[in-house]
């Protein structure tokens, strides 16, 4: 087992960040999904030995990460907040990060070239970080996390605030990590994003692991609860008219961006029937997904009376 | 080179650079200009050996050395905590106790480097325009020794203070100006409860001129022992706090 958390609780005064949280993460890529404040970053910081559980324990590769410098040498971390000093260049940041991880001058130079190439930052390395865009900063942080070639990467919200081009490049980086046989644990508050990089997902809500499994298992679980589907299609008015006649559709709306928002009572029914409608009526569909902020309400449903 | 040594070297260079360079480069510059103006004009007005030693003792050792140690020391770890870069350091494969000691050593090196320049400049600004026969190289070395001693002890205090409180600069300013600057100058035993008292006590044995040579403090051995105890206790406390500190 790569990561094991058993009955972990973490309090900050009266605030509980993790609540008797238990989880087992195996090798490969695992996505941790949950709304803001779910406890994703707290869990990640425990993996990195930055904080200790108030109760329970966390093991990474069978070891306690707290005060464990040897283990830290095997982990690369991308935090969700900005850790980049503004007054140095990207090259200097990578030199510092690699140096802190014990890379000597020759190894460092080789690794800087390799990871900068992977995140497409080579032409930008000599520029001061304060001149970087959000996407460049995020890519530099990823390069920093990979600089010492760790076997486990912990990426906390790597897609947050990035534009589609940067997202695409981050997805490609994660895919290349998978091909290199690295273990990656990645968080997001958007299930749709995680779906693009892995089939293994953990859902967190209010400091608890509410569901854990493959994307299809999670999807079928989510389908037991009403939520809003987003349909990106060529003729949203026609699709809306066709959908409104069904009793498993609660409401239909078209957002200012032209996407169709369908509130469904029975998601399972929606998936079965809508696929048939697409074939029968020949709709030109871009994509269909659960509205992101709707996850919060789904999580609330899933937690039921447990809170 | 051993991986841990490489990491220690990287952190030391980073800490010294971020302490001395950047916006903070203005602090020693302002201090240097102030010291040169005061020392040079004092030398021109009434140049005496006693006057020079007194000015070096009060301005350089008792004021600017403490002030600079406070600015560099309190910002050493606290600065990295505030800008988030501590995460990069705390997740490095280096023992936390070692990391704390590197921060401390970086504070001492930064302080000593800058204060040696400021102290030498101030000394030369007073004694150089005066008669050259007054120039005492051994006095310059003694002042440098007191600067190093101040750096070692005050840095242990202020680096640890940076871990104890969220806004260490305010507490540091209070300590420098109220405790060391006021309480430490009071007559009687209360004045002995300051680090400066023991540094001046050691200094009193190094000079034959000025108020400093007549400073009635503890003996050299006692002063050294007290300073070593303060230094070791503060470092042990700082290392303990850093090792057990959570970075969330």
């Amino acid at each position: 087992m790569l990561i094991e958390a058993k009955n972990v609780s973490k309090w900050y005064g009266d605030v509980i960040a993790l609540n008797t949280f238990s989880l087992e993460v195996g090798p490969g890529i695992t996505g941790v999904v949950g709304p803001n404040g779910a406890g994703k970053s707290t869990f990640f910081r425990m993996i990195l030995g930055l904080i200790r559980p108030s109760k329970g324990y966390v093991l990474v590769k069978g070891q306690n990460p707290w005060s464990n410098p040897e283990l830290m040498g095997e982990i690369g971390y991308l935090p969700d907040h900005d850790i980049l000093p503004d007054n140095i260049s990207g090259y200097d940041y990578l030199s510092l990060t690699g140096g802190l991880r014990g890379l000597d001058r020759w190894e460092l130079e080789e690794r800087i070239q390799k990871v900068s190439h992977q995140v497409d930052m080579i032409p930008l390395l000599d520029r001061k970080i304060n001149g970087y865009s959000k996407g460049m900063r995020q890519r530099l942080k990823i390069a920093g996390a990979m600089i010492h070639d760790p076997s486990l990467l912990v990426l906390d919200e790597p897609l947050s605030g990035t534009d589609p081009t940067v997202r695409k490049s981050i997805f490609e980086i994660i895919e290349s990590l998978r091909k290199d046989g690295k273990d990656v644990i990645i968080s997001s508050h958007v299930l749709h994003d995680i779906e693009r990089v892995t089939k293994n997902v953990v859902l967190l809500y209010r400091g608890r692991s509410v569901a854990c499994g493959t994307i299809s298992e999670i999807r079928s679980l989510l389908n037991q609860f009403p939520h809003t589907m987003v349909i990106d299609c060529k003729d949203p008015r026609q699709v809306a008219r066709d959908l409104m006649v069904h009793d498993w559709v609660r409401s239909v709306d078209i957002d200012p961006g032209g996407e169709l928002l369908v509130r469904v009572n029975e998601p399972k029914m929606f998936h079965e029937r809508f696929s048939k409608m697409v074939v029968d009526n020949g709709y030109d569909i871009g994509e269909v997904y659960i509205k992101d902020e709707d996850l919060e309400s789904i999580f609330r449903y899933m937690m039921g009376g447990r809170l | 080179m051993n991986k841990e040594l490489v990491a220690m070297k990287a952190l030391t260079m980073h800490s010294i650079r971020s302490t001395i360079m950047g916006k903070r480069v203005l602090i020693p510059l302002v201090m240097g200009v102030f010291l040169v103006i005061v020392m040079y004009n004092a030398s021109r007005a009434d140049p005496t050996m006693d006057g020079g030693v007194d000015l070096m003792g009060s301005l350089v050792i008792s004021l600017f050395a403490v002030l600079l140690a406070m600015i560099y020391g309190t910002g050493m770890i606290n600065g990295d905590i505030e800008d988030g870069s501590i995460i990069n350091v705390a997740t490095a494969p280096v023992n936390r106790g070692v990391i704390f000691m590197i921060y401390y050593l970086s504070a001492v090196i930064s302080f000593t480097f800058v204060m040696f320049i400021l102290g030498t400049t101030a000394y030369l600004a007073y004694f150089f325009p005066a008669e050259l026969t007054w120039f005492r190289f051994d006095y310059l070395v003694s002042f440098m020794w007191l600067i190093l001693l101040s750096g070692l002890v005050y840095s242990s205090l202020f680096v640890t203070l940076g871990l104890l409180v969220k806004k260490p600069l305010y507490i540091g300013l209070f300590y420098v100006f109220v405790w060391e600057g006021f309480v430490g100058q009071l007559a009687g035993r209360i004045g002995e409860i300051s680090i400066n008292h023991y540094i001046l006590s050691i200094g009193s044995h190094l000079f034959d001129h000025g108020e400093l040579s007549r400073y009635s403090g503890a003996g050299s051995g006692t002063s050294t022992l007290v300073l070593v105890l303060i230094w070791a206790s503060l470092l042990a406390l700082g290392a303990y706090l850093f090792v057990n500190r959570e970075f969330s």
Side-chain angles (χ1 to χ4, degrees), chain A:
Chain A
M1 196 51 60
L2 187 67
I3 296 166
E4 184 188 355
K6 189 84 175 166
N7 296 326
V8 173
S9 295
K10 181 68 186 174
W11 295 281
Y12 294 104
D14 291 338
V15 179
I16 187 156
L18 287 176
N19 187 2
T20 48
F21 170 84
S22 292
L23 179 69
E24 288 187 346
V25 176
I29 300 179
T30 303
V32 177
V33 183
N36 292 331
K40 305 185 293 290
S41 297
T42 303
F43 176 51
F44 281 10
R45 283 174 195 143
M46 277 181 190
I47 294 172
L48 268 295
L50 291 168
I51 56 175
R52 277 178 292 195
S54 309
K55 243 179 78 180
Y57 65 85
V58 173
L59 296 178
V60 179
K61 298 184 173 189
Q63 301 173 56
N64 182 352
W66 179 258
S67 284
N68 192 339
E70 289 79 21
L71 183 63
M72 290 308 107
E74 297 176 40
I75 306 177
Y77 177 46
L78 181 144
D80 60 339
H81 57 278
D82 203 358
I83 54 158
L84 300 176
D86 279 339
N87 54 351
I88 63 172
S89 68
Y91 184 90
D92 288 341
Y93 170 73
L94 293 179
S95 296
L96 168 66
T97 308
L100 284 170
R101 273 128 194 97
L103 301 183
D104 66 30
R105 198 195 302 175
W106 308 117
E107 283 178 294
L108 190 59
E109 193 55 44
E110 192 188 320
R111 288 298 302 167
I112 288 176
Q113 292 306 318
K114 184 163 184 188
V115 294
S116 307
H117 177 73
Q118 271 182 287
V119 299
D120 198 19
M121 285 290 286
I122 287 181
L124 304 163
L125 282 185
D126 291 332
R127 276 170 57 178
K128 284 271 174 73
I129 292 173
N130 56 15
Y132 282 8
S133 67
K134 168 87 183 169
M136 291 173 194
R137 295 173 84 93
Q138 203 68 342
R139 280 186 286 159
L140 185 67
K141 277 163 66 181
I142 294 177
M146 300 192 300
I147 191 81
H148 55 305
D149 197 20
S151 58
L152 167 64
L153 276 125
V154 178
L155 310 177
D156 196 359
E157 299 274 3
L159 301 161
S160 164
T162 52
D163 61 38
T165 318
V166 175
R167 292 162 91 82
K168 187 170 173 288
S169 72
I170 293 175
F171 287 134
E172 284 167 1
I173 292 165
I174 296 168
E175 177 58 20
S176 73
L177 290 169
R178 190 187 63 76
K179 283 182 182 158
D180 289 345
K182 306 286 184 196
D183 298 314
V184 181
I185 176 160
I186 174 175
S187 76
S188 174
H189 55 280
V190 184
L191 181 63
H192 187 60
D193 283 340
I194 293 294
E195 215 170 346
R196 292 183 63 172
V197 291
T198 183
K199 287 186 167 60
N200 301 317
V201 180
V202 177
L203 297 187
L204 287 191
Y205 183 66
R206 290 198 181 178
R208 284 177 192 258
S209 164
V210 291
C212 182
T214 63
I215 284 283
S216 58
E217 287 166 345
I218 297 288
R219 280 263 175 253
S220 60
L221 193 62
L222 295 182
N223 285 342
Q224 295 169 21
F225 307 98
H227 49 255
T228 304
M229 305 302 302
V230 182
I231 302 172
D232 176 21
C233 57
K234 272 264 172 69
D235 189 4
R237 289 178 187 282
Q238 180 58 49
V239 179
R241 268 195 298 271
D242 296 346
L243 280 169
M244 274 192 294
V245 297
H246 298 285
D247 56 3
W248 38 269
V249 174
R250 187 182 287 181
S251 65
V252 179
D253 209 351
I254 298 173
D255 74 9
E259 285 181 325
L260 195 58
L261 306 177
V262 187
R263 183 86 182 147
V264 292
N265 292 325
E266 297 168 64
K268 196 173 172 211
M269 189 74 84
F270 167 83
H271 290 301
E272 284 170 9
R273 298 287 177 84
F274 187 65
S275 308
K276 191 168 181 303
M277 286 170 67
V278 172
V279 175
D280 291 348
N281 302 318
Y283 303 143
D284 190 351
I285 303 291
E287 58 181 340
V288 180
Y289 56 91
I290 300 174
K291 195 167 188 274
D292 298 330
E293 61 259 39
D294 213 39
L295 273 175
E296 171 89 28
S297 56
I298 295 169
F299 286 140
R300 271 201 300 271
Y301 274 113
M302 292 170 81
M303 290 301 287
R306 280 197 280 161
L307 281 176

Side-chain angles (χ1 to χ4, degrees), chain B residues 143-206:
Chain B
F143 279 119
M144 294 305 116
W145 162 237
L146 291 183
I147 283 172
L148 177 63
L149 195 61
S150 302
L152 288 167
V153 184
Y154 283 118
S155 296
S156 68
L157 170 69
F158 293 120
V159 172
T160 300
L161 185 68
L163 282 168
L164 272 171
V165 291
K166 274 195 175 170
K167 299 282 179 194
L169 199 62
Y170 299 125
I171 308 282
L173 283 170
F174 176 86
Y175 178 82
V176 171
F177 290 107
V178 178
W179 195 262
E180 293 276 352
F182 178 70
V183 177
Q185 306 301 318
L186 292 177
R189 295 200 70 86
I190 185 110
E192 294 175 14
I193 318 172
S194 70
I195 292 173
N196 196 238
H197 169 76
Y198 294 99
I199 288 174
L200 293 181
S201 296
I202 290 175
S204 68
H205 300 280
L206 302 174

Side-chain angles (χ1 to χ4, degrees), chain A residues 10 12 45 48-53 66-70 72-73 75 77 79 81-85 87-88 92-93 95-105 107, chain B residues 1-4 6-15 17-18 21-23 83-96 242-248:
Chain A
K10 181 68 186 174
Y12 294 104
R45 283 174 195 143
L48 268 295
L50 291 168
I51 56 175
R52 277 178 292 195
W66 179 258
S67 284
N68 192 339
E70 289 79 21
M72 290 308 107
I75 306 177
Y77 177 46
H81 57 278
D82 203 358
I83 54 158
L84 300 176
N87 54 351
I88 63 172
D92 288 341
Y93 170 73
S95 296
L96 168 66
T97 308
L100 284 170
R101 273 128 194 97
L103 301 183
D104 66 30
R105 198 195 302 175
E107 283 178 294
Chain B
M1 203 193 289
N2 173 288
K3 275 182 181 291
E4 202 159 52
V6 173
M8 287 159 70
K9 184 181 158 202
L11 180 55
T12 309
M13 297 306 291
H14 161 73
S15 301
R17 198 166 39 209
S18 56
M21 307 302 283
K23 288 173 192 164
D83 69 16
S85 54
I86 192 75
I87 298 295
N88 203 6
V89 177
T91 53
V94 182
N95 181 289
R96 286 266 193 103
F242 193 75
V243 166
N244 289 288
R245 172 89 180 223
E246 293 191 345
F247 298 104
S248 53

